[in-house]
Amino acid sequence: MRILLIGLVVLSGVLFAFGTGLHPVFALTWLAPLPLLWAAARMSGRAAFAVSALVWTAGQAPLAGYFHGVLETPVPLVAAILAGPALVFGGLAAAHRRLALADRPLMAAGVFAAGWTTLEYVLSLALPHGAWWSLAYTQADVGPVVQTVSVTGIWGVTFLLTGVPAALATARPRAVGTAAVLLAAVLGFGTWRLATAPRPDGATMALLATEHPNDEIDMATSEGRALLAAYITRARTIDAAAIVLPEKNFVADDATLPLLTGPLTRLAAERRTVVVAGVTHRTGGTVRNAALVFTPDGGRPAEYAKHHLIPGLESDFTAGTRRVAVPGRPGWGVVICKDLDFPALVRAYRSDGAATLLAPAWDFHSDAWLHGRMALVRGVESGIGVVRNGRAGDLMISDPYGRIQAVRSTGRPGFVSVTGRAPGRPVGTLYGRFGDWFAWVCALFLLLAGAAGVPGAVTGRRGRPGSAAANPAGRIGSPL
């Protein structure tokens, strides 16, 4: 028995390692908690807590190098990012064990899923990275599943990913049956929504980028002016209503800014297109991560400043506070990279009437898939298209249903471009209207469960005589 339990625990750790992180295998995410929770019911409460915390830590350990080496997160904070959720995961696994042994399988699954969903939501509010940290993104390429976020936000997908295996781990027919019905309903809704979704019928959008050089280039230098000239030469070959360039492509202050704005203003007028260019703008003693928006009428460019800056890497920058729509195109909003990690900002643009977001971005190669899919999920949540230029990542255009219209990696010599259709109008979603209602339902459920004392779990009361809870070891081979 001990060897079996150890094997199941190790299996969960491996499944978490490959089912989460920067390049998750979506099917493994559904399976990861199952062996651990089944094994936890067959060990002491303290052992279940300790082993579960260790499994979560081991599964997330591959991200430590990304946090510290790429995002330059201090080591103590990296340790806290790994250890804090691990302790919560251990506590939820121990609660699941006690409720399962008390013959409360639905409550066990509900507490485990609602607890983890609530944790993700709280961290999205408390930490400066927004909704970056969530199991839900592992399903971004699974069309029927990702449609759930149009109703619940990412919180509903997280609930499913934790609740379904938690129900299966109890091996109780009513819990397994409930999970099966819920999953079938979700997949049915998602399949129907995709089958009835219209194709994008709006303007053609283009993304243009190069990684050579993969750096910020000052317009005061000959290299900066040469890079701008190369972009303009390539842009003249593109026929699109808007051309989006990457984040922080150029550096300019008030003296050198005309060297950038003059040629791009002429390009927009000549090609009768909108041009969005990322620039590090030094002005008035401040530095802004900005997107300059040039319109076909040749007028003064609008400027959007990035709202959500990367801690540490952008500590010298001043955050913006205004939302910006393309002049003459109120259905086109402008954001920059990390702004798409924050659902509330996207919902605000949707309330403004935006149908498409134009997003200069700059990734780190290793996080290209994850960060691009996070942007895709934001679009499904609020029912808008996302046109995201991820230098050192992916150029990607997605529609309000999460369907990728065009995608191409920038990791190749020279310039890379893609074109695709944007939606002509936004799509109404429940999440876009009511926001994080599902996360609040999960938090309320936990509060009510705690207030009720969760009989059999909080008190540690044994199951009824002759039940599986009274003899958990006897359930090892029990049929569903």
Side-chain angles (χ1 to χ4, degrees):
M1 172 62 70
R2 179 172 296 180
I3 293 176
L4 173 61
L5 296 182
I6 292 173
L8 291 173
V9 167
V10 171
L11 176 59
S12 268
V14 172
L15 292 173
F16 271 118
F18 288 96
T20 62
L22 300 177
H23 303 281
V25 180
F26 78 88
L28 301 186
T29 318
W30 293 92
L31 300 174
L34 178 55
L36 174 67
L37 295 177
W38 190 89
R42 289 148 180 86
M43 59 181 71
S44 71
R46 290 182 179 180
F49 170 81
V51 165
S52 299
L54 181 62
V55 163
W56 178 261
T57 303
Q60 300 304 294
L63 283 173
Y66 171 75
F67 287 131
H68 181 60
V70 176
L71 298 183
E72 299 182 6
T73 306
V75 172
L77 185 54
V78 173
I81 291 172
L82 296 178
L87 295 176
V88 176
F89 188 82
L92 291 172
H96 179 276
R97 168 193 172 275
R98 297 186 72 176
L99 285 162
L101 295 182
D103 203 23
R104 303 291 300 277
L106 286 175
M107 182 64 77
V111 166
F112 185 77
W116 194 254
T117 302
T118 301
L119 173 68
E120 284 192 359
Y121 179 60
V122 170
L123 291 180
S124 77
L125 300 177
L127 298 180
H129 294 291
W132 188 95
W133 190 78
S134 175
L135 294 175
Y137 301 119
T138 64
Q139 308 301 302
D141 285 339
V142 187
V145 175
V146 84
Q147 301 311 306
T148 304
V149 306
S150 69
V151 178
T152 65
I154 56 174
W155 323 118
V157 177
T158 294
F159 186 91
L160 287 170
L161 287 169
T162 48
V164 169
L168 295 178
T170 67
R172 307 300 288 173
R174 61 181 180 274
V176 173
T178 300
V181 170
L182 178 61
L183 187 57
V186 166
L187 294 176
F189 166 74
T191 301
W192 168 81
R193 192 169 190 264
L194 286 172
T196 57
R199 305 304 302 181
D201 58 358
T204 297
M205 302 291 185
L207 301 170
L208 176 63
T210 180
E211 287 187 26
H212 308 282
N214 187 26
D215 202 353
E216 302 173 63
I217 307 297
D218 200 316
M219 286 303 299
T221 66
S222 59
E223 291 84 356
R225 296 188 290 276
L227 179 62
L228 176 61
Y231 264 105
I232 289 175
T233 298
R234 183 62 184 266
R236 285 196 173 110
T237 67
I238 297 174
D239 184 16
I243 303 174
V244 181
L245 309 186
E247 177 185 10
K248 293 183 189 172
N249 232 6
F250 306 98
V251 178
D253 56 20
D254 291 338
T256 58
L257 189 63
L259 298 175
L260 178 68
T261 60
L264 290 180
T265 298
R266 291 190 291 273
L267 172 67
E270 172 191 326
R271 300 297 298 170
R272 306 303 300 167
T273 188
V274 170
V275 177
V276 180
V279 57
T280 297
H281 187 191
R282 306 180 186 279
T283 179
T286 64
V287 185
R288 294 198 293 263
N289 183 343
L292 300 181
V293 183
F294 302 86
T295 54
D297 63 7
R300 180 184 178 89
E303 181 172 344
Y304 171 84
K306 186 178 183 181
H307 287 205
H308 299 284
L309 304 170
I310 301 175
L313 291 178
E314 295 182 314
S315 58
D316 294 335
F317 288 76
T318 299
T321 56
R322 294 188 307 111
R323 298 188 296 276
V324 172
V326 174
R329 292 279 196 168
W332 297 356
V334 180
V335 295
I336 297 176
C337 199
K338 192 171 181 60
D339 289 334
L340 288 167
D341 298 354
F342 292 79
L345 178 58
V346 178
R347 290 201 312 272
Y349 267 109
R350 173 64 182 85
S351 297
D352 294 341
T356 300
L357 291 180
L358 310 182
W362 191 0
D363 294 326
F364 299 100
H365 287 296
S366 60
D367 64 354
W369 182 90
L370 179 61
H371 219 187
R373 293 319 189 270
M374 289 169 64
L376 176 152
V377 169
R378 290 289 91 76
V380 181
E381 285 176 338
S382 293
I384 59 179
V386 179
V387 180
R388 184 180 186 273
N389 188 328
R391 177 165 53 145
D394 292 333
L395 312 184
M396 189 166 72
I397 300 172
S398 59
D399 75 358
Y401 300 91
R403 297 174 299 193
I404 296 175
Q405 304 303 301
V407 63
R408 194 175 185 188
S409 170
T410 63
R412 62 192 72 194
F415 281 90
V416 176
S417 64
V418 299
T419 59
R421 297 289 292 273
R425 62 192 65 82
V427 175
T429 68
L430 194 66
Y431 181 78
R433 183 172 183 181
F434 296 108
D436 300 316
W437 67 272
F438 188 81
W440 283 100
V441 168
C442 288
L444 180 61
F445 172 78
L446 286 180
L447 288 175
L448 293 177
V454 218
V458 174
T459 63
R461 189 174 64 201
R462 293 289 181 183
R464 62 184 182 273
S467 71
N471 182 23
R475 291 175 54 196
I476 292 176
S478 63
L480 298 183

